[in-house]
Amino acid sequence: MNIKRKLSYLFLSLMLVLTSCTNTNQKEVPEVDDKTIDQAADEILKDNGLINDAIDKPIGKPYEVGVTPDDYNMDYDTSRLLSLDEKKTKFYPKDGVKGLYFNTYSVNTPETYNKIMDLLESTDLNAVVIDIKDDWGNVTMNFDTDDENIKYSKIDIVDPKALIEDFHSKGIYVIGRITTFKDSIITEKNPEWGFTLDDGTLWKNAHEEAFMNPFLKEVQDYDINIAKLAAQAGFDEIQFDYVRFAEGFETFGDTLDYSRGEYEDNTELDEGEKRVAAITGFVKRAREELQAYNVPMSIDVFGYALQVRRAEGIGQDFDEMSNQTDVISSMIYPSHWGSWSFDIEKPDLEPYELVKRYLDEEKEVLSQLDHPPVSRPWIQDFTASWIGEGNWMEYDGEAVQAQIDAIYDQGLNEYLIWNANSEYSSGVDY
């Protein structure tokens, strides 16, 4: 509050005090308006040499409460008080994250465990991605919690703290993966969290997998609470996968029964826009709530979300989601693209060109965001023989290396490699 305004209120307060001390039969004090107060304050300031008539008084609209003048150039978005660099643990690799997916069920298999550890210790690989909540919805970690829903889904494959200590002792960065909205376990306990058919049964896809309803706050709470437990257990980073509605939802969603949550009565948004708002809202909310745990957050998205930019069917807007996370991991497996994607007739046969051309476009898009995340793409170390004869090839060390070379040639130095069974090719210079 400036000195003139302070004096104005002092002047008004003095008048009120004097009025209250007089006899109640005295005539009322005339109404005092802002102009009268300002004039009185000017007289006091002039008498004390604090202003003179030559000084121009500021003219303009008063600042709104809670809004900082642009002159100060300050960002009061409290959810962004910490940058990625400030949230990184000491195990974040200085030369960038180069990681493998390590299937949680293989952690307790000595043969696989030893192979992964040997690979990490003998190459430039420096990180692992481990399921906290797997593709079916099982919470694989032995978390100490009173949350009845999490307790229902827990299968306690590993002790998270012991596992993390083991990796940290070898200097390995540990990312915890959460399969977010695809969940066939908790929807058994809470079918109202899913999508139901006319007969009241849960909708499931062709693989008999159910999805939770991203519109529901209690659904979002469930995944975020699991993430918080993982952060408390010591994971270096939380990665959300399946941050979307089911594939093709726009083609069958209107046949299902489900709530749109806070968007139920919103007539300004169509169904696709509501789905995008729900997914983007979850990503923003997760980042805000995890900041209290000083842990970075990453999200996985379909590669094609970049090309379409706004995949309203599944609710993924590439720009909006990227702007709300610390790290973006696009799944750019060459086998997952149709013919002539990026002008490549058979993408799976040209891993170097596919990755290079994808990253060309991604760099351009991310550079235009207010808060661009680190790009850490998922690449493939598996053979996609199911995409049809003539369209696929054997993915060996050479094919994996081609993808990594493309990443480095594009000026990036982070990547994750996917193999569902954690069986990785030899002969790769990571």
Side-chain angles (χ1 to χ4, degrees):
M1 185 183 295
N2 62 36
I3 188 169
K4 177 181 172 183
R5 181 55 60 187
K6 289 181 178 178
L7 286 170
S8 300
Y9 284 116
L10 177 62
F11 176 77
L12 177 59
S13 300
L14 181 61
M15 291 187 67
L16 292 174
V17 170
L18 292 173
T19 303
S20 65
C21 293
T22 59
N23 189 296
T24 56
N25 292 325
Q26 296 293 324
K27 64 181 181 179
E28 295 181 359
V29 176
E31 182 178 343
V32 181
D33 58 21
D34 284 344
K35 182 177 180 181
T36 304
I37 293 173
D38 285 344
Q39 289 173 344
D42 281 346
E43 292 299 323
I44 296 172
L45 292 170
K46 286 179 183 178
D47 290 344
N48 286 275
L50 295 175
I51 65 169
N52 58 58
D53 291 334
I55 298 176
D56 291 331
K57 301 171 189 175
I59 299 174
K61 296 181 180 180
Y63 297 134
E64 297 179 21
V65 175
V67 176
T68 304
D70 290 340
D71 291 344
Y72 294 112
N73 193 28
M74 297 175 69
D75 183 0
Y76 271 95
D77 181 353
T78 56
S79 70
R80 292 192 184 278
L81 290 178
L82 297 179
S83 67
L84 171 59
D85 285 340
E86 291 171 309
K87 289 188 280 188
K88 290 176 180 176
T89 71
K90 64 181 181 180
F91 297 99
Y92 198 106
K94 290 183 174 57
D95 58 346
V97 170
K98 302 163 184 53
L100 301 172
Y101 170 68
F102 192 178
N103 188 309
T104 312
Y105 298 91
S106 299
V107 169
N108 294 325
T109 304
E111 182 180 358
T112 304
Y113 176 83
N114 291 333
K115 281 184 179 180
I116 294 294
M117 296 309 296
D118 288 344
L119 197 53
L120 289 164
E121 293 180 337
S122 63
T123 69
D124 285 339
L125 290 170
N126 52 34
V128 290
V129 179
I130 297 179
D131 289 324
I132 297 169
K133 177 168 164 262
D134 69 16
D135 284 18
W136 288 96
N138 296 296
V139 176
T140 64
M141 302 285 156
N142 183 18
F143 294 128
D144 182 15
T145 178
D146 294 327
D147 188 308
E148 291 300 323
N149 289 309
I150 296 176
K151 288 166 69 175
Y152 176 87
S153 300
K154 278 199 314 129
I155 55 177
D156 296 352
I157 294 177
V158 296
D159 176 348
K161 292 185 178 180
L163 180 72
I164 292 167
E165 287 177 4
D166 181 33
F167 282 116
H168 280 174
S169 70
K170 299 174 177 63
I172 298 168
Y173 187 72
V174 189
I175 302 170
R177 173 178 177 259
I178 295 175
T179 301
T180 310
F181 295 122
K182 186 174 78 167
D183 196 317
S184 303
I185 302 299
I186 198 61
T187 47
E188 293 177 351
K189 180 178 184 294
N190 303 307
E192 70 278 8
W193 285 10
F195 303 93
T196 55
L197 302 170
D198 288 340
D199 61 4
T201 59
L202 272 173
W203 172 86
K204 295 182 180 181
N205 64 18
H207 301 290
E208 289 299 303
E209 300 164 323
F211 274 70
M212 294 195 292
N213 180 358
F215 283 117
L216 301 181
K217 183 178 183 300
E218 53 268 38
V219 163
Q220 296 189 12
D221 287 343
Y222 177 67
D223 283 317
I224 292 174
N225 287 342
I226 293 172
K228 290 177 179 178
L229 288 171
Q232 291 172 331
F235 279 91
D236 295 303
E237 181 175 315
I238 305 301
Q239 180 190 89
F240 291 101
D241 197 359
Y242 285 87
V243 191
R244 59 177 176 82
F245 287 75
E247 293 173 74
F249 193 88
E250 70 278 14
T251 65
F252 59 80
D254 58 358
T255 67
L256 305 177
D257 183 29
Y258 63 98
S259 167
R260 275 74 171 176
E262 63 180 292
Y263 303 99
E264 189 70 62
D265 300 320
N266 189 322
T267 58
E268 296 181 1
L269 301 178
D270 63 28
E271 289 299 305
E273 291 170 331
K274 290 178 182 179
R275 289 192 290 271
V276 168
I279 295 299
T280 304
F282 168 80
V283 176
K284 180 175 185 294
R285 185 181 165 211
R287 173 178 53 76
E288 291 174 343
E289 297 200 22
L290 286 175
Q291 179 175 262
Y293 297 84
N294 202 31
V295 61
M297 184 186 85
S298 54
I299 57 172
D300 298 338
V301 297
F302 276 136
Y304 82 78
L306 170 73
Q307 283 197 314
V308 299
R309 300 293 284 279
R310 191 173 176 86
E312 292 190 349
I314 59 174
Q316 286 189 343
D317 183 297
F318 184 86
D319 298 42
E320 292 182 12
M321 294 177 73
S322 297
N323 204 47
Q324 293 295 342
T325 188
D326 297 310
V327 178
I328 189 78
S329 290
S330 299
M331 296 174 282
I332 57 175
Y333 316 126
S335 62
H336 281 37
W337 298 90
S339 296
W340 296 109
S341 295
F342 303 100
D343 294 324
I344 301 173
E345 181 179 4
K346 298 179 179 182
D348 194 56
L349 304 185
E350 298 189 49
Y352 178 89
E353 280 301 319
L354 186 283
V355 171
K356 178 180 178 294
R357 296 184 192 186
Y358 174 90
L359 293 177
D360 260 338
E361 291 193 15
E362 186 187 73
K363 283 195 298 185
E364 175 64 24
V365 172
L366 295 182
S367 69
Q368 298 173 19
L369 301 181
D370 292 332
H371 303 281
V374 167
S375 174
R376 187 193 298 152
W378 278 104
I379 58 177
Q380 82 179 59
D381 190 354
F382 58 85
T383 298
S385 56
W386 57 86
I387 62 176
E389 186 175 352
N391 295 312
W392 63 275
M393 69 178 189
E394 191 78 26
Y395 265 63
D396 53 12
E398 184 178 349
V400 175
Q401 189 66 54
Q403 297 171 84
I404 294 173
D405 289 346
I407 290 169
Y408 276 96
D409 288 349
Q410 285 288 36
L412 303 180
N413 66 347
E414 299 209 6
Y415 56 83
L416 299 172
I417 306 176
W418 180 268
N419 181 286
N421 297 317
S422 302
E423 297 174 354
Y424 295 98
S425 299
S426 59
V428 181
D429 179 9
Y430 296 99

